Amino acid sequence: MTQHPTPNQPQPPARRRGVRRPLALLALPAALLLGLGLYWFQPWKLWQDATVHESLPSAPTETATAPTAPAAPRTLAQGALISHEHTTTGTAKLIRLPDGSHTLRLENLDTSNGPDLRVWLTDAPVKEGTAGWRVFDDGKYVSLGKLKGNKGDQNYEVPAGVNLSDYGSVTIWCDRFDVSFGAATLTTV
């Protein structure tokens, strides 16, 4: 004799309900991993350009006590940027300003955008190809700050007290992945 459940009797749990719980438990960690991966790699930056057009810092204006004409900025060293992890072109120039301070100028820069990009003066030799991708944090370096934009002309103040003779190259360094996007050997002019 087959019994039919009455409306007040509890129904046995559906089989589907048992499948949904493991899927829900897997979905949360998968979503967290996806979110962390997106934050870490920031792939959208590969399609976003930030263009900067800064002029070279100008000489200070004359004061009543110093009526002489200010000296012009002078390029001390320069070099062409070569590609490493990403295609990179442009020129890096180390410039002495009329007030005696120094700036690193990137002109006609064109590279990929990326997470946590920095501009470094380094003592590492610039090597072509993959051999040069990871050498810049092996020795001495000075971070001049975050890359302002992946395209254009931009200036980076060199901190006072930095002995410029200790540094012969510049790199656009991805601090998150410890890799050079591009670099240049600075040759005395």
Side-chain angles (χ1 to χ4, degrees):
M1 171 176 223
T2 306
Q3 271 190 337
H4 294 290
T6 61
N8 294 335
Q9 280 186 320
Q11 299 283 331
R15 292 191 94 176
R16 279 195 215 150
R17 195 174 290 160
V19 173
R20 287 184 188 163
R21 174 158 269 146
L23 287 178
L25 291 175
L26 290 175
L28 182 61
L32 286 172
L33 284 174
L34 178 63
L36 286 172
L38 288 172
Y39 169 76
W40 190 252
F41 289 97
Q42 298 178 359
W44 56 87
K45 286 194 172 186
L46 291 173
W47 295 280
Q48 294 175 336
D49 288 329
T51 304
V52 175
H53 292 294
E54 291 182 327
S55 348
L56 186 62
S58 60
T61 57
E62 289 184 32
T63 63
T65 59
T68 59
R74 192 173 125 227
T75 302
L76 303 176
Q78 67 182 19
L81 290 161
I82 65 165
S83 300
H84 279 149
E85 174 72 22
H86 293 268
T87 303
T88 303
T89 58
T91 304
K93 292 182 177 182
L94 188 56
I95 299 172
R96 181 185 165 121
L97 299 174
D99 65 1
S101 66
H102 296 91
T103 191
L104 179 78
R105 180 164 173 81
L106 301 177
E107 292 182 343
N108 301 312
L109 174 65
D110 190 355
T111 191
S112 295
N113 206 339
D116 207 13
L117 295 179
R118 308 290 173 151
V119 177
W120 285 4
L121 281 176
T122 78
D123 67 349
V126 176
K127 298 176 184 177
E128 300 243 357
T130 57
W133 286 16
R134 299 187 185 275
V135 300
F136 297 101
D137 61 348
D138 294 343
K140 199 172 184 181
Y141 62 88
V142 174
S143 178
L144 303 181
K146 288 188 172 192
L147 186 70
K148 296 174 184 177
N150 64 309
K151 296 184 180 299
D153 305 321
Q154 44 208 276
N155 306 307
Y156 296 87
E157 181 181 343
V158 177
V162 170
N163 184 356
L164 295 176
S165 64
D166 290 346
Y167 305 97
S169 61
V170 62
T171 181
I172 297 170
W173 186 255
C174 180
D175 217 19
R176 178 154 305 156
F177 294 105
D178 294 327
V179 67
S180 173
F181 273 35
T185 299
L186 295 172
T187 305
T188 305
V189 177

